[in-house]
Amino acid sequence: MVFSNNLLAGAGGQATGYEIDQSIRFNDEDSARLERTVSSSGSTTTWTTSVWVKRGKYTVNTNSQWFPVFSASDGSTTYDAPLWFNDVSTGGAFNVDIGGYSWRTTALARDTSAWYHVVTVWDSSNGTTADRMRLYINGERVTDFASSASPSSGANSRWNSSSYSHHRIGNMRYSSAETTYVFDGYLAEINFIDGTALNPTSFGETNSDTGQWVPVKYTGSYGTNGFYITGEDSSDLGDDESGNGNDFTSSGLAAADQMPDTPTNNFCTLNPVEPVWGAVPTISNGNLDIAGTAATVWNNAVATFKTLPSTGKWIWAAEPNTSGGGQCDPWIVNETGLASRNNYVYVDANGWETTFDSSSVHTVLNNGAGRNASFTYGSGDFHVICFDADSKKLWFGVYDVSAGTLQFNDGSTGLTGDPGAGSDQTYTLTGNEFSIGFATYTGRGGNVDFGQSDLLSQITIPTGFKTLCTANLPDPTIALSSDHMNTVLYTGNGATGQSITGVGFQPDWVWTKIRSPNAYSHQLFDAVRGAGKNLQSNNTNAEGDISDEFKSFDSDGFTIDDVNQNVNESGSSYASWNWKANGSGSSNTDGSINTTATSANTTSGFSISTFTGNG
C-alpha cells in the first residue's frame, strides 16, 4: 500500500476529535493473551462486541489455522469464538462461531497495514431470523458469507456463560492447550456489552470530510459482565475500565506490548504479504522483527509505507541481533530499483544499503561498491536512517549504546554527517519515488523501529525529522476522492429519460460499459464535445452521435434513453465512471496548438481538451 498521506494510511482526522492513544500487541510466538474466568453467566441471548484490529501474521493455510480475537471454552473442545480469522486457501476470512452456529465471510482481512473495526452482535431472540446474528466491518453490515447458519430463536451462546468459563482475548483454550490457536497483531478499544444489541454507530462514525470510518467513544452501559479494555496501564494491560471490575489477567504480554500504533495514528511496520526479493523471511512481534530463513540468497522484507512521502524529513531504525550473529540491514531503492527487485539491493545503482562486515565494522553500499564507515558494532548498537525527501539526501548512521552517541561519520571519505544541518550526507539519491525495506540472512535477524518501539526513543532525533506514522503525514489536497471521481453502477430499464444519480457532482466525462448479460462496446462521453457524442475505447471508429440515447449531464449524474442497448438495455447491468472537470470549457492558447475548448479541474489535475492537429 502506498502511504503518501494520512488518509491513504487509514488514519485521517476524526470527526469527533476522539483519539486512541495506545493498543496492545499480541505476539503469537509468546502465546500472548488476556484471560478471565467467568464465574457468573450474563446474557447468553443478547450482547455486542466491538474491537479495532490490525493483523500481524497472515498465512494462507488450512482450515485449522485459527487466529482468535475473542473466545470462550470449557477448557476442552467446546468453544465459542465471537471473532477469529481463518486463513483458508482463499486467505484471511473473518469468522464467527457462536452458540454452535458458524459464519465465514467472503470478505478477506489480508491488509496487515490497516486497522479494521469489527462489531459482532448476538441477538438470538430477535423476531427476524436474519438479524439474530450481525457482523459489521468498518461500519458496514456483512451480508455475504461463504458459509453461514441462522440461529434458532433464543439460542444460547457459550460466550458470556459460566459453563464455558475460559474467556480469552487473543487466544483460545482448546484441549487444555494455550498455544495452538493464538492471534497475532494489535487490538485497541476492546468493548463487550452484556445484554444489549448495538449498532456500530455506538463505537464509530463516518467522517463526512474524508469518507473514513473512525472511532468514537462508547458512552452507554456495559451490563453485568461487560468490559472495556484499552491497555492504558502498561503494567496492567487487562485492566477493565468500564467500572465493572471485570479485569483480565495477562500472559505472554509485557509493558513493551503497550504500543502507540492505533486506529487514529497508524504506524509503518514490516509487510508480511508483499512480494519480496530473494527468500521470504520470518516476520513476527507485531511485524517489527525479522529473521532469515534461507542461506542461498538474502531474505528481504519491505515496509508497509512502501513509498515514502514525496516531501518532508523521515527517520527510522534497525537493530541487528549481533549477539546471535544477526543482521538487519536497512535499504532504500528508487522506482527503478523496486522494479528490478534484485536479491542483493546494494549491487544495484538504484539501491542503497547499510550493514556491517565480518569484523562488525559498519559499511555503506551502493552499485556494488562499499565504503568502510569506521565504526565497530557492539551489542545493542543499531542503525539509524535519515532521509530528506525534498533534497533526496540520505544519511546512514549508528547509535553507540555504550557511549550514548549517534554517528553519521564515514571514515572512507572523511564525512561527518549532520542530518539536522543537512550536511555531509552519506548519499544523494536519484529517482523520484523511494521504497524502504530490510535484508537478513539464514539464522540472522533483528528488529526495526519506525517510531513505535524502543530504538528511536534512545536518541535525540535530528532537527526536523519525523517518524513514519500517519500523524506525521501531510493532509492531502483532496480529502475525499469521490468529490472528483466516482463510480456508479446501474441497471438499464429500457425506459425514456432514466436518470442515473448518486455521482455526487455534475460529471463532465462519463465512461459507461455494459457488464452483463451482453458484451457491447465501451461508451465515452464528455461535456466539451457535448452530450451524446460517443467514442469507443475498444474500437477505432470515429466519433458517433447517440444523443438520442445519452441525453444530458446532470447535477448528480446523467440522463439516458431507451433507443438502443449501448447505455440502457432493459435488465442489463452497467458500470459508469464519472469525472469532474469544469463544464463545457473554453479555448486555450497554452502550448504549440490552441485548443478549441479546455475544461480543467486544477484541484484534481484532470482536464478535457479538443484541438485540431496541424501536422
Side-chain angles (χ1 to χ4, degrees):
M1 180 178 287
V2 178
F3 285 167
S4 58
N5 61 65
N6 61 16
L7 300 187
L8 293 177
Q14 282 63 56
T16 61
Y18 182 55
E19 299 285 339
I20 300 174
D21 295 326
Q22 69 281 314
S23 64
I24 304 173
R25 175 179 57 184
F26 292 78
N27 183 23
D28 66 342
E29 295 181 357
D30 298 329
S31 299
R33 61 189 181 271
L34 297 173
E35 53 192 347
R36 173 174 176 256
T37 300
V38 174
S39 59
S40 179
S41 296
S43 175
T44 56
T45 60
T46 310
W47 47 256
T48 305
T49 67
S50 168
V51 63
W52 286 83
V53 183
K54 181 176 179 179
R55 295 197 64 186
K57 180 171 289 185
Y58 166 83
T59 61
V60 176
N61 211 310
T62 65
N63 291 355
S64 62
Q65 192 69 38
W66 297 355
F67 301 99
V69 176
F70 297 107
S71 73
S73 81
D74 61 358
S76 183
T77 58
T78 306
Y79 64 88
D80 260 14
L83 175 62
W84 55 289
F85 297 97
N86 188 193
D87 287 353
V88 295
S89 58
T90 53
F94 295 86
N95 288 260
V96 178
D97 283 275
I98 305 172
Y101 300 91
S102 299
W103 297 266
R104 177 178 296 152
T105 67
T106 57
L108 303 179
R110 293 189 289 196
D111 189 349
T112 57
S113 67
W115 280 92
Y116 299 93
H117 181 225
V118 187
V119 172
T120 302
V121 180
W122 180 250
D123 189 16
S124 64
S125 296
N126 194 298
T128 303
T129 301
D131 290 341
R132 291 174 186 162
M133 175 271 172
R134 302 190 292 276
L135 175 66
Y136 301 87
I137 301 173
N138 295 337
E140 296 289 334
R141 182 173 177 179
V142 178
T143 58
D144 192 0
F145 293 93
S147 61
S148 63
S150 296
S152 58
S153 179
N156 292 311
S157 65
R158 295 163 187 149
W159 174 262
N160 207 25
S161 169
S162 60
S163 298
Y164 306 89
S165 60
H166 298 279
H167 279 48
R168 300 286 187 269
I169 298 172
N171 172 276
M172 179 186 292
R173 186 174 178 84
Y174 190 82
S175 296
S176 301
E178 307 285 5
T179 61
T180 304
Y181 302 118
V182 287
F183 172 75
D184 189 90
Y186 303 82
L187 300 179
E189 289 288 288
I190 306 169
N191 283 279
F192 171 58
I193 317 301
D194 179 7
T196 309
L198 297 172
N199 290 323
T201 50
S202 293
F203 312 96
E205 65 182 357
T206 299
N207 186 323
S208 59
D209 292 331
T210 66
Q212 289 176 287
W213 183 254
V214 297
V216 299
K217 173 74 172 177
Y218 174 68
T219 58
S221 171
Y222 279 88
T224 303
N225 276 352
F227 54 79
Y228 174 46
I229 296 174
T230 67
E232 181 178 353
D233 184 351
S234 62
S235 65
D236 186 10
L237 292 174
D239 181 43
D240 172 26
E241 298 176 43
S242 72
N244 284 342
N246 295 323
D247 296 343
F248 280 67
T249 301
S250 66
S251 180
L253 293 167
D257 291 310
Q258 181 197 70
M259 303 296 290
D261 193 338
T262 75
T264 57
N265 189 18
N266 193 3
F267 275 80
C268 184
T269 65
L270 298 174
N271 192 338
V273 299
E274 169 72 14
V276 295
W277 293 260
V280 179
T282 297
I283 298 174
S284 61
N285 201 25
N287 294 339
L288 296 178
D289 289 0
I290 182 173
T293 58
T296 55
V297 294
W298 281 93
N299 299 222
N300 291 273
V302 298
T304 53
F305 283 28
K306 182 178 175 182
T307 301
L308 290 174
S310 58
T311 188
K313 299 178 180 180
W314 307 100
I315 185 170
W316 60 101
E319 180 184 14
N321 182 12
T322 53
S323 61
Q327 272 177 300
C328 185
D329 299 352
W331 50 254
I332 182 169
V333 297
N334 62 21
E335 62 271 26
T336 303
L338 183 66
S340 67
R341 291 185 178 272
N342 195 304
N343 294 338
Y344 305 92
V345 169
Y346 61 85
V347 305
D348 197 314
N350 300 290
W352 300 263
E353 187 171 338
T354 182
T355 185
F356 59 90
D357 64 19
S358 58
S359 300
S360 294
V361 176
H362 178 222
T363 59
V364 294
L365 307 105
N366 166 248
N367 202 22
R371 302 199 308 263
N372 187 325
S374 298
F375 177 88
T376 302
Y377 270 86
S379 179
D381 297 346
F382 55 87
H383 304 285
V384 176
I385 308 91
C386 293
F387 178 61
D388 184 339
D390 297 296
S391 66
K392 300 181 184 178
K393 293 179 179 180
L394 174 72
W395 291 264
F396 283 137
V398 174
Y399 182 67
D400 183 338
V401 173
S402 61
T405 57
L406 177 60
Q407 304 179 45
F408 294 93
N409 301 341
D410 187 338
S412 297
T413 61
L415 298 176
T416 55
D418 185 348
S423 61
D424 278 1
Q425 64 272 19
T426 312
Y427 295 106
T428 299
L429 307 192
T430 57
N432 298 301
E433 295 182 356
F434 301 94
S435 299
I436 61 174
F438 304 84
T440 189
Y441 218 66
T442 307
R444 305 174 185 176
N447 59 285
V448 303
D449 183 14
F450 300 99
Q452 71 271 64
S453 193
D454 60 353
L455 298 180
L456 292 176
S457 63
Q458 300 178 51
I459 71 172
T460 299
I461 293 179
T463 301
F465 284 82
K466 297 179 179 180
T467 58
L468 285 164
C469 60
T470 57
N472 291 333
L473 297 182
D475 289 329
T477 302
I478 297 173
L480 190 60
S481 60
S482 60
D483 286 342
H484 299 267
M485 188 276 167
N486 203 4
T487 302
V488 173
L489 306 180
Y490 68 92
T491 301
N493 64 5
T496 299
Q498 179 180 196
S499 294
I500 306 302
T501 60
V503 173
F505 53 84
Q506 179 171 317
D508 299 304
W509 184 23
V510 176
W511 184 331
T512 69
K513 178 68 174 72
I514 191 169
R515 301 165 63 206
S516 68
N518 299 304
Y520 306 134
S521 295
H522 296 254
Q523 305 292 332
L524 282 66
F525 310 93
D526 64 78
V528 171
R529 293 180 300 125
K533 295 181 179 179
N534 74 323
L535 292 170
Q536 297 179 344
S537 58
N538 56 305
N539 290 320
T540 58
N541 301 350
E543 175 184 279
D545 186 349
I546 57 170
S547 54
D548 53 350
E549 298 180 51
F550 191 97
K551 304 297 291 184
S552 63
F553 299 95
D554 306 329
S555 61
D556 188 32
F558 51 93
T559 298
I560 52 181
D561 263 359
D562 66 340
V563 177
N564 210 324
Q565 74 277 1
N566 290 309
V567 294
N568 195 25
E569 183 175 68
S570 180
S572 294
S573 60
Y574 292 83
S576 70
W577 299 274
N578 305 270
W579 284 264
K580 180 180 181 180
N582 190 23
S584 59
S586 58
S587 60
N588 187 287
T589 59
D590 293 342
S592 59
I593 299 179
N594 294 344
T595 65
T596 307
T598 293
S599 177
N601 182 339
T602 57
T603 301
S604 66
F606 173 74
S607 63
I608 308 165
S609 294
T610 58
F611 66 95
T612 301
N614 62 10

